Amino acid sequence: MTIEISDKTYDEEFVKKVEDISGENFHKCMQCGTCSGGCPMIEHMDIPPRRIMILTHFGLKDEVICSKTAWICATCNACSVRCPRGIELTKVMEAIRQLTLRKNINYVEPSAISEETIADLPQIALVSCFRKHTS
Amino acid sequence: MKISYYPGCTLKTKAKNMDHPGIAALKALGVELVELPRWNCCGAVFSLADDDLLHLLAPVRDLIRVVEQGDNKLVVACSMCYNTLARANLLMQENSEKRHTINTFMEEERDYNGEVEVVHLLSFLRDEIGWEKIRESIKVPLKGLKIAPYYGCTLLRPQSVAIEPPEKRTLFKDLLETLGATVVDFPASNDCCSSYQILSNPDVGIEAVSKILESAESWGADAIVTSCPLCEYNLGKRQEDALKKHDTLKELPTFYFTQLLALALGLGAEVCKFELNYNGATRLMESKNFLTVV
Ligand code: SF4
Ligand code: SF4
């Protein structure tokens, strides 16, 4: 996939927001791929975590926001504990999700969950899912 | 000895088979787990957004309840609650700016400065009770039971709240060996079970579950033991879906560590509540004669 990078594609506000919400300096990513290599969800992602880091660094907002990667991430922290640059990718993923959720857009719609599912699930599944996937 | 105890929402409802045997086992070992008065849901996951302090109020309130009890230690059995409470506590200890904002915002509460120590029940067993004392109290050694200890994510990550160094982990192994079981140290022991993705993206969840089951089975385990009700749900109840998808997998019972502890201490099936576990938990224990001895 070829991606055009220029002044026109750089979304400064997006970069600033991810920096602020995550509190992480993802610009120091050296693209080693350790995060992607240890990610248990990678086969279900459209863009690997390593690539999310560089796309965010280059301010390519649409690629990052429209990717399903941050929604597939299970916040398992396997990447964060292994990153040789000490980047907490889980926080970057959270910031990316927040950019959508803070617009009042839900990834999971609580009202669409069936009564049987709610009765079946342990409370921590519902609470953690709503915390990560609803606005 | 009395100690403050935080059960969390799931242990009071869906995971009574983790809560009850834990309380009973500790009682048998001379420790009274005193449920925190007026505890609230901790939020299940730690807030990762740097500008979000609102979701820290719930876990911090729980920690304030501990101080109000005149206690300085809180024992937590659920791994997700442990992770959330321990991380919130760490933030209150280390980040003076956020601590100040949170304390000021919670006008009705006393100030909290991270005075409480948040301890997982597994660490408590090792550090405060000790393997020796547990070994002396065993009535039903779990001889011949091959158990795969499943840590999952929240006991070991991030490092700041890990119950032990992930690369040198022995706690689960030491406990299970103390109970007389055979430990199957399998490679997927701290892989992710998909957590809340079981609800958001069930197919992704079932694949993660299948890989963990496959790993435990190929290393010869009779069962898996966990310390998290969401891991237990995913690996236990949702195992049905994994088995349907992969015909190479076979049924593998899942247990909470509190159940195995209570069983070995001779507290019997009534306390252990194996009927609340899924897929052949009772059957396995019966086949090993652990239920008839009592
Ligand atoms: S592990 Fe860290 S440095 Fe390496 S690619 Fe991932 S984020 Fe970048
Ligand atoms: S936290 Fe998310 S991105 Fe990182 S390894 Fe786990 S699932 Fe992958």
Side-chain angles (χ1 to χ4, degrees):
Chain A
M1 178 165 70
T2 315
I3 286 180
E4 187 204 323
I5 299 167
S6 71
D7 291 359
K8 282 183 241 101
T9 61
Y10 185 76
D11 189 328
E12 194 178 343
E13 196 196 338
F14 162 70
V15 175
K16 183 84 182 62
K17 275 190 180 160
V18 180
E19 282 170 354
D20 286 349
I21 300 176
S22 72
E24 287 298 299
N25 177 6
F26 47 84
H27 306 293
K28 61 184 181 181
C29 167
M30 60 182 183
Q31 290 291 292
C32 66
T34 306
C35 48
S36 299
C39 174
M41 301 297 157
I42 191 143
E43 64 194 81
H44 310 285
M45 291 170 171
D46 50 355
I47 301 178
R50 172 194 63 82
R51 203 168 158 88
I52 290 288
M53 294 300 123
I54 194 82
L55 293 174
T56 310
H57 166 76
F58 280 128
L60 290 156
K61 181 182 172 184
D62 290 346
E63 278 79 359
V64 174
I65 295 289
C66 298
S67 158
K68 58 180 188 179
T69 295
W71 303 107
I72 296 291
C73 166
T75 322
C76 77
N77 265 312
C79 50
S80 301
V81 299
R82 289 182 185 133
C83 172
R85 300 291 280 161
I87 301 166
E88 276 201 54
L89 284 94
T90 40
K91 292 189 173 170
V92 181
M93 295 293 178
E94 181 100 330
I96 295 166
R97 283 189 297 268
Q98 285 296 323
L99 289 182
T100 300
L101 298 176
R102 288 180 188 189
K103 292 202 167 97
N104 253 341
I105 300 168
N106 285 342
Y107 177 70
V108 165
E109 205 43 63
S111 58
I113 304 172
S114 73
E115 268 178 48
E116 298 82 65
T117 306
I118 292 174
D120 186 49
L121 283 168
Q123 279 72 3
I124 41 174
L126 291 162
V127 177
S128 56
C129 173
F130 294 164
R131 286 286 311 280
K132 294 293 175 190
H133 288 164
T134 63
S135 59
Chain B
M1 191 198 329
K2 282 187 180 187
I3 186 94
S4 292
Y5 170 61
Y6 180 85
C9 311
T10 310
L11 265 69
K12 283 288 146 194
T13 49
K14 295 279 168 56
K16 288 192 174 124
N17 50 338
M18 182 179 197
D19 184 48
H20 288 206
I23 294 172
L26 270 285
K27 193 168 166 220
L29 293 165
V31 177
E32 190 189 338
L33 292 178
V34 184
E35 187 175 322
L36 214 56
R38 290 204 301 132
W39 59 266
N40 49 259
C41 171
C42 67
V45 282
F46 181 69
S47 199
L48 293 168
D50 203 49
D51 57 358
D52 170 29
L53 297 187
L54 207 57
H55 287 104
L56 282 160
L57 303 183
V60 171
R61 277 212 171 92
D62 286 319
L63 299 168
I64 292 173
R65 300 285 95 84
V66 184
V67 180
E68 282 172 353
Q69 290 245 87
D71 212 345
N72 58 7
K73 193 176 278 192
L74 179 67
V75 169
V76 188
C78 165
S79 301
M80 281 181 91
C81 298
Y82 163 75
N83 194 279
T84 306
L85 290 162
R87 294 181 80 177
N89 198 35
L90 207 60
L91 182 129
M92 291 301 276
Q93 286 167 351
E94 292 177 349
N95 193 319
S96 56
E97 205 179 308
K98 288 183 178 171
R99 176 172 66 230
H100 178 73
T101 309
I102 288 169
N103 279 332
T104 311
F105 182 81
M106 289 201 286
E107 240 187 315
E108 77 289 4
E109 303 277 12
R110 66 201 293 163
D111 279 2
Y112 182 71
N113 303 304
E115 300 90 326
V116 172
E117 192 190 346
V118 180
V119 181
H120 193 271
L121 184 53
L122 280 167
S123 316
F124 186 80
L125 289 172
R126 176 193 59 196
D127 302 334
E128 308 269 341
I129 297 180
W131 306 136
E132 205 42 53
K133 161 124 183 140
I134 297 175
R135 194 171 295 121
E136 285 163 9
S137 316
I138 299 292
K139 300 213 169 57
V140 184
L142 305 181
K143 280 230 155 48
L145 186 68
K146 288 184 275 175
I147 288 271
Y150 178 68
Y151 280 82
C153 306
T154 46
L155 286 180
L156 299 174
R157 294 190 289 269
Q159 286 104 326
S160 54
V161 296
I163 61 166
E164 59 181 340
E167 68 286 0
K168 290 189 212 138
R169 54 180 190 272
T170 64
L171 216 167
F172 245 136
K173 175 173 162 283
D174 293 342
L175 171 69
L176 295 170
E177 279 173 2
T178 303
L179 304 182
T182 305
V183 179
V184 178
D185 195 4
F186 71 125
S189 177
N190 57 355
D191 286 359
C192 178
C193 72
S194 84
S195 187
Y196 52 83
Q197 294 289 4
I198 202 75
L199 175 55
S200 313
N201 294 293
D203 289 343
V204 171
I206 296 307
E207 277 319 298
V209 166
S210 305
K211 281 186 189 151
I212 294 163
L213 294 172
E214 205 265 322
S215 171
E217 281 172 13
S218 67
W219 284 72
D222 292 330
I224 291 181
V225 62
T226 88
S227 65
C228 170
L230 187 45
C231 298
E232 208 274 338
Y233 172 82
N234 287 353
L235 294 171
K237 183 151 199 193
R238 301 308 290 274
Q239 190 177 121
E240 219 179 273
D241 300 327
L243 261 57
K244 269 184 222 149
K245 249 177 135 174
H246 301 277
D247 49 15
T248 46
L249 290 175
K250 46 181 202 302
E251 193 178 84
L252 194 68
T254 52
F255 297 97
Y256 291 116
F257 72 97
T258 52
Q259 292 180 295
L260 299 184
L261 176 63
L263 182 69
L265 291 173
L267 298 173
E270 210 173 303
V271 166
C272 295
K273 299 188 179 299
F274 293 124
E275 71 280 4
L276 297 179
N277 295 56
Y278 311 105
N279 54 50
T282 306
R283 233 180 307 128
L284 175 67
M285 291 314 191
E286 274 170 357
S287 76
K288 301 275 177 194
N289 282 330
F290 296 146
L291 299 181
T292 44
V293 194
V294 190

